[in-house]
Amino acid sequence: MKIRELHVNDTEPFIELNKKIDDSGYMLYDPGERQITADKQKKAIMQISEDESMKFLVAEIDGALTGYIGAFRGKLNRNKHSAYLVLGVDEIHRGKGVASRLFNALFAWAENEGVSRLELTVIKENTPAFNLYKKMGFVLEGEKVHSLMIDGEPVNEYYLYKMI
């Protein structure tokens, strides 16, 4: 397994990976809701690679993208020490250390960049992800009530953080 930065030449495989991960039902996008063209995705990847407040890593196994982690830092003096994270791993590769390797690479980046607080949210019912985040050192900070609507029903999210 290789952990590396997301590149423009990953555009099509990254679109496909996102579609697979969205199908889990645990991401912000409903299954099939994400509609992005290759041109728009390519521009987004270029923007991420040029913006020092963002870091986006992918996991690659046998030449295929299997997961990603993104960090989005605050841009102001008062919040640039903090980064919001997004993580996704293809279902067939879950439980194989992909997420842990992505997190560890991101933790090293955060330490090197002076990012001392990492935060993320997780759907309350996503117990496997919640347990992974706890294993990686994240602490429950609070619960956002009715933060999402899934299949017409309100769903809560947990806020978690980790100090570096």
Side-chain angles (χ1 to χ4, degrees):
M1 178 186 333
K2 181 178 179 183
I3 305 297
R4 61 174 178 77
E5 291 193 32
L6 178 66
H7 299 293
V8 172
N9 61 352
D10 295 318
T11 298
E12 292 291 342
F14 188 64
I15 290 171
E16 291 307 310
L17 176 64
N18 274 299
K19 287 179 183 176
K20 288 180 192 176
I21 293 171
D22 288 346
D23 284 345
S24 73
Y26 287 119
M27 301 305 282
L28 184 58
Y29 286 90
D30 273 337
E33 181 181 15
R34 187 187 306 254
Q35 299 295 319
I36 189 163
T37 65
D39 284 342
K40 286 184 181 178
Q41 184 66 71
K42 185 176 181 179
K43 287 177 186 172
I45 293 170
M46 288 170 43
Q47 179 185 0
I48 289 168
S49 65
E50 294 169 0
D51 189 334
E52 292 181 11
S53 70
M54 298 181 201
K55 185 68 167 181
F56 217 97
L57 302 172
V58 292
E60 183 179 3
I61 298 176
D62 298 328
L65 298 185
T66 59
Y68 63 80
I69 192 166
F72 304 90
R73 285 179 83 163
K75 295 186 179 198
L76 305 173
N77 286 335
R78 292 185 178 194
N79 69 357
K80 66 183 178 185
H81 71 286
S82 179
Y84 182 80
L85 306 183
V86 293
L87 172 81
V89 176
D90 187 352
E91 188 173 8
I92 64 171
H93 293 284
R94 292 181 193 151
K96 299 179 182 177
V98 174
S100 296
R101 295 268 310 270
L102 285 164
F103 269 123
N104 288 328
L106 193 81
F107 296 162
W109 166 83
E111 188 170 346
N112 188 52
E113 293 294 316
V115 175
S116 59
R117 177 186 164 89
L118 301 174
E119 53 192 51
L120 51 78
T121 59
V122 62
I123 293 173
K124 184 176 178 177
E125 289 76 20
N126 190 350
T127 305
F130 181 76
N131 290 337
L132 166 70
Y133 301 151
K134 284 177 34 182
K135 180 184 102 174
M136 298 307 299
F138 285 83
V139 176
L140 178 63
E141 186 165 41
E143 184 171 344
K144 188 174 180 182
V145 177
H146 290 204
S147 61
L148 301 173
M149 292 295 287
I150 299 177
D151 297 327
E153 297 294 324
V155 175
N156 296 0
E157 287 179 292
Y158 284 139
Y159 277 108
L160 294 101
Y161 73 95
K162 177 182 174 80
M163 301 306 292
I164 299 292

